[in-house]
Every structure is written in C-alpha cells, then in structure tokens.
Amino acid sequence: MVASSQELLNQEPNPSQFFPQGVPRAVRRIGLTMALLSGVVSLTTGYLLVFRYHQLFGDAISRAIVGMYMTWDGHFHLAAMGFYWSPLLSLFSVPFALARHWWPPLMTYGFSANILSALFAAVGVYHLYRILWRFGLSQWASVVWTSLYLLNPLILLYSANGMSDAIECAILLAMVDGLVEYLQTDRLGALVRSATWLAAAFMVRYESVPIGACLGIALVLSIWIRTKNWYRAEAIGLALLFPIVMAGIIWMLLGAMIMHNPFYFLNSRYSNGAQISTGSYNFPQVLAARHHLGVTLYQVFRFMDNFWAYAPAAVTVAVLQFRRRTDSIGISLLAASFGAPLLQIVLLYSHRSADWQRFFIYYIPFGFLLFAYVIWKLPIRWRSWFAWMGCFALVASNYAALEAMKSPVWGNGDTSVYQAVFDSQRGSLKDNANYMTLEQGEVEAHYINAHPHLVVLISTFDSPLVMPFIRRPGQIIFSGEPSYDSILENPLGRANAILTVPNSPHSLGADTSINRMYPGLWAGHVSWTKLIHQWKNGDRLYAVLKDAP
C-alpha cells in the first residue's frame, strides 16, 4: 500500500522508504507556499519601511547603487564594483540598475535591495521547512515553526530592509538543507548543492568563512570517528569546502588584477578595520571590549538576546554528542553555529568591529535548527508534544529579540527603526540619517546638473546618493572607476571640480579617498583649488585651477 501525502508528512524521514525519489510533492508544495507568503510579507514590510516610515539603510542603498556603477556609462565593467564588499548582491542589482529609468526609487531609495532581501527570505523559509520535515516535525508544526522564524523581529526586519544579513541566513539554511539531506541519504548531489550554497554565502558576507571552516572541521572529524575511514571523511570535507575556497581565490585574484591588492577587502581604506580606526564607531561598549577578552566574551554571549533559546539548545546538542554516539548532523550544526560568534570575538577584541545587533543575527537560524534537532532526537511518542510546546519557547525568544531592539546598547543599529515604527514618531520620520543623505544627494546632483561644464570627482564612499540623480554620466568620475586614483593625483585636464565632505576627526569623512589624499582640501588649504559652492550639511565643491598637478 502506498502511503498518502499526509502520512508521509507526519512520518519520521526514512531514507530507505521514500528518499530515493526525493522530497514528497506535498512537502515541496507546502514549502513553496510558505516561501511565496514569506516573500510577500517581506516585500510588503520593506515597502512600508521605505515609503511610509522612511527607514533607509545605508549599506543596502550602497549595494544597490554599486549595480548602477557597473553600468554607469552604458557599458558593463566589473572594476566599478569596488572589491571591498562581497559581490553577489551587487551583481544581482545590475538588472534593477538598468530599469531605474522606469522607476527611479530602485536606485534612489535602493529599493532593489529590498526586493532582493524579500526574494531570499522566501528561499530561506522554503529550505527551513524542508529541514524541519527532515527532522521529523509534522506538517502543521513545521508550518508554525517556519512562520515563527520569519516573524522573529530581526529576521523580518532584515528580510525586508535590503541588508545582507538575513540573506546570508537564508543561504546558510539552504546549505544546511543540502548537507542534512546528504548525511541522511548519501546522495552526492545534495552534498554538491550544499557546497554551492556555501560558496554563494561567501559571495554575500564574509561570516561564511569561519562558519564554513567550523562546519568542515566538525564534519570531517565526526565522519572519521564514526566510520574510521579517513579517506571518506577527507573526500566529503573537500567536496564541501572546495567551492568556497575557489570563490575566495577568484575574489582575491580579481582584487589583485583590478585593485592591485588581493586583500583589498580586508585592509583597504574602506574595510571594517579602516572605518573603525577613524573613531566613528567608538561606542562605550566597543572601547570596553578592545583588548579585553572578558568584556568581549560577555558582549558576544549577551547578544544571545537575539534568540535566547539558542543557548539551551546548543548545550543539549553538545551533551547528546558526548552521551551518545557522535552524530555528524548534530556536531556539524553545533560547530557551524560557533563560526560567526568566534569571528566577532576576534574582531571586537582587536578593535576591528562595531557591536551592531545584526552581526549576531546568526543565533536565530542556528537556534531554530539546533532546537529542531533536539526534538528529532527525542522518542517518537514525545516528539509531537515537545514540538508544540517548543512553540512557546520560540515565541518567547522572538519577544526577547524585540525587547533587545528597544535598547540603544543591545539593539544597536535597530533601535531607531523600532522607535519610528512602534513609537509612532511621525514628526521625526524623515530624521533618518540616510533619508536626509538622500535628500542632500538630490540637492547636490541638481547643482551639478545645472552646470553641464563641470566634470566632478566624487568618492562614492561618502557621496553615493548623488549619482542616481545625475542626468549626464559623463559629468562624474567616481571612485569605482579604474582611472579614479590616477585622476585624483593629477586632475588637471581630466576633472575640473572635486566634491568633498567635512574632514572632521573621528568621522567617516576623514576616511574618504579625497580627504586622505588632500587632508586640507575641505578647509581650503589646497592652493590649486577654489571653493565654488557649499551646502548646509558642510559638503563643498571645489574648482580645479590651472596650476593643479
């Protein structure tokens, strides 16, 4: 007798029974429905954040606009990417950049990034549903758990706001789905799919490197301990990690060829370390963690408020590995969950990172996975009861994340969003710094458009929102162009104006290419320049005189 779809959904996954023909159609159908709904919810939330509450996010806008840089003069050139951010989202922004003439907010508001984060939210929800099914949760328990994941305040916010953090979480869930399928079924295609997703994660955020390293080491050791076959363990580890290693090598080779520095993403003037060195992020907790291991560890653990159920789930999984035979799935998930916190420990201790709440968002997806794994390891007769009781723990964890967002310390980076949305501060909705920067960019672009003879040097690090409003691309020479550094050193005959921002101590303006090359320019201490115009925010436009180099 053939089992019905409902029976298959409620059974514990049994590879010998139905894995050979893949995931049941009912599971795929429900997973795709959940993915579609999550995409709609995320995109709607993103639309409200941008157009109702005017909550713009600088990194999201910048990644969207990088797609425009690569097509700025009508020709695609990869060098304009910048090579300090992982490239995948910028590459995905290129089609939206080409469509910006039909709907300018795709670039001016960076809304293409919001669309991308909503699409990836759907990817993450789909794969989470599949993982929960593989861990033996029933149909409705999987639906509720998946919904609670999306409705976690941090996941929903970052699935909607165009930032890369929830996108990375979604890709990591897809990677785990493939890995769990391989370890349950021995299907090589699932391992290849998992490895491909891990490489894609590297192309979104660099946290994938420590996550992949921890995962690979744990996977190889667990398989070796369990099978006593080192060659098999080594082969599986190589298959999993080879794509991400190659992606890293290619990224460094491109950096070496175009930026003349294979580690440009790590040590350039736009890297995290360079930005931190300006003092712009010298929050009290960041300074307290510098070269103080105890404070650093406390802060990393304290950010478990993002998902407090992670800690008990992680401890339980660790106990299961020591009290029972080592399970490759459990030990791999546990090790992977340590990757991002370990990276933050290193960066905070060495004063190369700020303590943004979003840097610790990875507690959430791995917390869900570890919690589900614990329930999977329970006797079948208890599993359903604990799955439903676990919903209360998930709701409590989501509420804790919302409470953390209220705090200027533990909700660092997200508190202003909470206040704008939940405190109904309608009078100050447009006080969002990125919204004011957008309006300022339009004002400065209007001045340049009104003077078509100007050919202006612009650092896109500090003035990215000028370019979407420029009518004639030939008027702008921006820092993503290969010839930019050469023109900045010798502008005569190649550019006749330079746009610069205030060069004040302990500000990001001090870290821009223009202010680094000419520290006295903004103050008028460069003899071959003359002030043309100054705006209310302090930005200044200088003419390049005939005695310039």
Side-chain angles (χ1 to χ4, degrees):
M1 181 180 294
V2 178
S4 67
S5 297
Q6 182 65 36
E7 290 172 336
L8 289 176
L9 284 165
N10 291 315
Q11 288 178 19
E12 179 181 6
N14 182 355
S16 64
Q17 181 182 357
F18 55 81
F19 265 128
Q21 57 261 31
V23 178
R25 182 178 299 176
V27 174
R28 294 199 301 270
R29 184 171 60 246
I30 296 172
L32 289 172
T33 302
M34 293 295 297
L36 177 62
L37 291 174
S38 68
V40 171
V41 169
S42 299
L43 188 59
T44 302
T45 304
Y47 185 90
L48 292 174
L49 281 174
V50 171
F51 297 103
R52 177 176 174 79
Y53 296 104
H54 302 284
Q55 295 301 302
L56 307 181
F57 295 79
D59 287 358
I61 295 173
S62 297
R63 285 184 176 89
I65 291 178
V66 167
M68 185 182 68
Y69 298 161
M70 288 187 279
T71 59
W72 180 247
D73 57 1
H75 302 283
F76 180 79
H77 50 114
L78 189 65
M81 185 182 297
F83 292 91
Y84 43 88
W85 274 331
S86 299
L88 189 62
L89 301 184
S90 296
L91 290 171
F92 282 167
S93 295
V94 170
F96 295 102
L98 296 174
R100 69 185 185 274
H101 302 293
W102 288 279
W103 196 41
L106 287 171
M107 292 293 116
T108 56
Y109 284 77
F111 195 69
S112 64
N114 301 79
I115 296 173
L116 286 174
S117 64
L119 290 174
F120 275 97
V123 171
V125 162
Y126 173 72
H127 286 282
L128 177 60
Y129 184 86
R130 285 167 52 110
I131 296 169
L132 295 175
W133 170 76
R134 294 185 185 283
F135 283 171
L137 271 69
S138 67
Q139 170 187 351
W140 290 110
S142 298
V143 167
V144 172
W145 276 51
T146 304
S147 302
L148 289 173
Y149 171 78
L150 178 66
L151 295 177
N152 179 282
L154 274 179
I155 294 296
L156 181 58
L157 173 61
Y158 283 92
S159 294
N161 66 5
M163 300 285 277
S164 60
D165 306 86
I167 295 176
E168 180 81 343
C169 291
I171 293 176
L172 290 174
L173 287 171
M175 180 271 294
V176 170
D177 181 27
L179 181 64
V180 171
E181 179 180 345
Y182 171 74
L183 293 173
Q184 287 183 334
T185 68
D186 225 19
R187 295 173 65 184
L188 188 58
L191 179 62
V192 172
R193 188 170 69 248
S194 178
T196 304
W197 280 113
L198 183 59
F202 171 79
M203 298 178 70
V204 174
R205 289 190 66 85
Y206 297 127
E207 283 91 343
S208 57
V209 175
I211 290 173
C214 292
L215 172 63
I217 293 171
L219 180 64
V220 169
L221 290 178
S222 65
I223 292 175
W224 176 57
I225 292 171
R226 184 166 51 84
T227 66
K228 306 301 181 185
N229 186 340
W230 172 253
Y231 295 106
R232 173 179 170 79
E234 182 183 36
I236 292 172
L238 287 173
L240 178 67
L241 298 179
F242 181 76
I244 189 174
V245 171
M246 290 305 300
I249 291 174
I250 292 171
W251 185 235
M252 288 188 288
L253 284 175
L254 289 172
M257 290 188 297
I258 297 175
M259 309 306 294
H260 311 294
N261 179 2
F263 301 104
Y264 188 80
F265 64 94
L266 188 63
N267 57 22
S268 74
R269 59 178 172 264
Y270 301 119
S271 65
N272 278 348
Q275 294 180 47
I276 295 294
S277 67
T278 65
S280 302
Y281 299 109
N282 278 348
F283 311 125
Q285 56 270 28
V286 173
L287 294 175
R290 181 174 56 184
H291 306 309
H292 195 299
L293 184 59
V295 175
T296 300
L297 291 174
Y298 169 74
Q299 291 194 21
V300 171
F301 284 111
R302 183 63 174 77
F303 273 103
M304 286 182 189
D305 273 359
N306 287 352
F307 193 76
W308 69 259
Y310 167 82
V315 171
T316 305
V317 173
V319 171
L320 288 174
Q321 301 311 305
F322 286 105
R323 296 193 61 179
R324 301 182 181 183
R325 186 181 179 187
T326 301
D327 177 2
S328 295
I329 294 177
I331 197 68
S332 298
L333 288 177
L334 184 63
S337 73
F338 294 156
L342 286 174
L343 176 65
Q344 287 303 317
I345 288 172
V346 172
L347 294 179
L348 283 171
Y349 180 82
S350 59
H351 198 58
R352 297 180 65 86
S353 177
D355 58 343
W356 300 110
Q357 186 181 22
R358 62 189 178 90
F359 290 168
F360 301 90
I361 197 173
Y362 306 98
Y363 285 131
I364 301 170
F366 283 113
F368 267 82
L369 295 176
L370 292 172
F371 201 175
Y373 172 86
V374 170
I375 292 177
W376 182 43
K377 288 302 176 180
L378 293 172
I380 294 178
R381 64 181 181 276
W382 294 351
R383 192 177 299 160
S384 178
W385 188 85
F386 272 94
W388 286 108
M389 290 300 102
C391 292
F392 293 101
L394 299 179
V395 171
S397 294
N398 286 358
Y399 179 75
L402 186 64
E403 287 296 308
M405 289 177 66
K406 296 180 182 179
S407 166
V409 176
W410 306 118
N412 190 8
D414 302 316
T415 302
S416 61
V417 181
Y418 177 90
Q419 292 172 342
V421 174
F422 292 102
D423 290 351
S424 300
Q425 295 183 355
R426 301 302 171 90
S428 60
L429 288 179
K430 295 187 179 182
D431 289 345
N432 176 276
N434 293 309
Y435 189 88
M436 291 189 290
T437 303
L438 173 69
E439 291 185 323
Q440 182 62 34
E442 185 174 11
V443 170
E444 295 176 13
H446 179 74
Y447 184 90
I448 296 172
N449 290 331
H451 298 82
H453 66 283
L454 292 176
V455 179
V456 185
L457 274 168
I458 287 181
S459 169
T460 53
F461 180 71
D462 52 59
S463 305
L465 296 179
V466 174
M467 291 180 61
F469 298 100
I470 294 294
R471 297 173 187 167
R472 292 173 290 272
Q475 283 194 264
I476 299 296
I477 301 172
F478 63 98
S479 53
E481 296 192 36
S483 59
Y484 173 82
D485 287 339
S486 171
I487 297 175
L488 183 59
E489 292 181 19
N490 300 282
L492 186 62
R494 305 159 83 182
N496 57 24
I498 301 176
L499 178 65
T500 185
V501 299
N503 187 7
S504 55
H506 307 305
S507 71
L508 291 179
D511 202 40
T512 66
S513 55
I514 293 173
N515 284 335
R516 279 176 173 260
M517 178 70 71
Y518 305 111
L521 175 61
W522 184 83
H525 297 155
V526 176
S527 60
W528 45 266
T529 63
K530 179 182 178 181
L531 181 65
I532 301 176
H533 192 81
Q534 177 173 336
W535 288 274
K536 292 180 180 179
N537 70 333
D539 290 0
R540 292 179 175 180
L541 186 67
Y542 281 91
V544 176
L545 304 180
K546 294 182 179 180
D547 57 340

